[in-house]
Amino acid sequence: TDSCYEVIKPMFPALTKVQNVMETMLNNGNIVSHAPIMVLNAGRIGPDNTTYLHYKDGINPEVSYVLDAINDECMQLCRAFGLKETTNADRHFITGYTHALGKASYESYHSSYSFMLAKGPTTLNYRYLTEDAPYSMVPLSSLAAQLGLKTPLMDAVANLGGALMQTNYWETGRTVEDLGLAGMTLEEKVAQMQHIHAKHYDMDGKADLQKLAKSTGGLSRGCMEAFPYSLQQYVNAVYDIQKYLIEETR
């Protein structure tokens, strides 16, 4: 991360480092700004309304309250994982859509040149609903439920969106079971978002399993990368590490 960050930062000055992919996902504005707006404006989305603008027309102050409440449900997951929390409006500034922090969410949306020009869909069979409901709302709701957290508004968007599209997003969407996270403790889930990097465990062309065992604390990791080995050395290292993770960790 550090080496890539130093190269990319000059090209993208707003770039920041985060702890792991979960922090990126939970602070993804699409979760808040796509499916909920579609559901709350379902009656005005259709082929006869070609002038509808997704944010400008779709968000009034009351809709913005719902979007903020859904963001709060995302942030409770951030707290559970010990990750940085971001308000809906501040995220707009961080990602370059607005020019000031601290605005109310409605004001923030409507002060964004990009948001105000964004055309809305002319059908409900559109990715903002058909992708974001089953593949954002459902997995986050499923994850929250396993941690004992409540997400009534995410649940509502998934239920209403599914009813609008005459499908069951709880069956077609992704859950912790589909993602292989069911039965894991919070610590195990966090470990799965971390990786094994060569520079920490290389021992003269072999993977140092003793050092690996000390650093993992008995928890498996989600991926491994960047071993500067020959093909055969790499195959051997991957085999040894996978064997260790399967047999000695959860």
Side-chain angles (χ1 to χ4, degrees):
T1 298
D2 290 338
S3 57
C4 290
Y5 178 80
E6 295 303 324
V7 172
I8 299 173
K9 178 69 172 178
M11 294 181 281
F12 300 95
L15 188 71
T16 59
K17 291 185 285 187
V18 299
Q19 290 189 44
N20 51 49
V21 68
M22 181 68 80
E23 184 172 332
T24 301
M25 180 182 72
L26 291 173
N27 282 290
N28 183 344
N30 292 355
I31 298 169
V32 175
S33 299
H34 283 178
I37 299 175
M38 291 277 289
V39 168
L40 292 170
N41 288 275
R44 58 200 304 191
I45 296 173
D48 296 329
N49 190 357
T50 58
T51 62
Y52 170 69
L53 300 176
H54 182 70
Y55 299 100
K56 184 176 183 179
D57 299 329
I59 301 177
N60 61 15
E62 291 73 22
V63 168
S64 75
Y65 302 153
V66 176
L67 305 185
D68 285 343
I70 291 174
N71 190 70
D72 289 342
E73 292 182 353
C74 291
M75 293 307 98
Q76 70 172 337
L77 279 164
C78 278
R79 287 192 291 276
F81 284 98
L83 303 173
K84 182 180 178 181
E85 301 174 47
T86 306
T87 67
N88 194 22
D90 284 354
R91 184 181 303 113
H92 299 160
F93 173 79
I94 293 168
T95 52
Y97 286 105
T98 59
H99 301 290
L101 288 166
K103 292 184 177 181
S105 187
Y106 173 76
E107 181 186 359
S108 178
Y109 278 113
H110 282 262
S111 68
S112 168
Y113 180 78
S114 298
F115 283 150
M116 289 301 95
L117 292 179
K119 291 184 177 181
T122 56
T123 173
L124 290 174
N125 188 18
Y126 187 72
R127 62 184 179 87
Y128 282 9
L129 180 59
T130 59
E131 293 180 9
D132 285 274
Y135 305 124
S136 291
M137 297 294 173
V138 169
L140 291 183
S141 176
S142 175
L143 178 60
Q146 192 183 45
L147 298 176
L149 303 174
K150 303 293 186 182
T151 54
L153 293 176
M154 288 189 191
D155 298 350
V157 171
N159 287 329
L160 291 170
L164 288 167
M165 297 306 298
Q166 296 185 304
T167 188
N168 186 339
Y169 284 146
W170 301 100
E171 293 181 355
T172 62
R174 297 287 179 86
T175 65
V176 289
E177 288 78 17
D178 300 320
L179 298 171
L181 298 174
M184 289 186 181
T185 66
L186 181 61
E187 292 74 19
E188 289 166 349
K189 288 183 175 66
V190 171
Q192 282 297 306
M193 294 181 284
Q194 299 171 350
H195 72 285
I196 296 168
H197 197 285
K199 67 180 181 181
H200 301 301
Y201 306 106
D202 177 51
M203 183 177 64
D204 298 325
K206 295 182 179 180
D208 189 338
L209 297 183
Q210 289 187 340
K211 189 174 182 180
L212 182 63
K214 290 180 181 178
S215 67
T216 58
L219 300 178
S220 184
R221 296 295 187 267
C223 66
M224 62 189 78
E225 65 176 352
F227 284 83
Y229 295 161
S230 67
L231 177 60
Q232 189 58 54
Q233 287 176 320
Y234 188 81
V235 169
N236 293 339
V238 169
Y239 175 82
D240 290 341
I241 292 172
Q242 288 182 332
K243 185 173 186 294
Y244 162 74
L245 293 176
I246 291 171
E247 295 179 355
E248 304 296 335
T249 70
R250 278 182 54 84

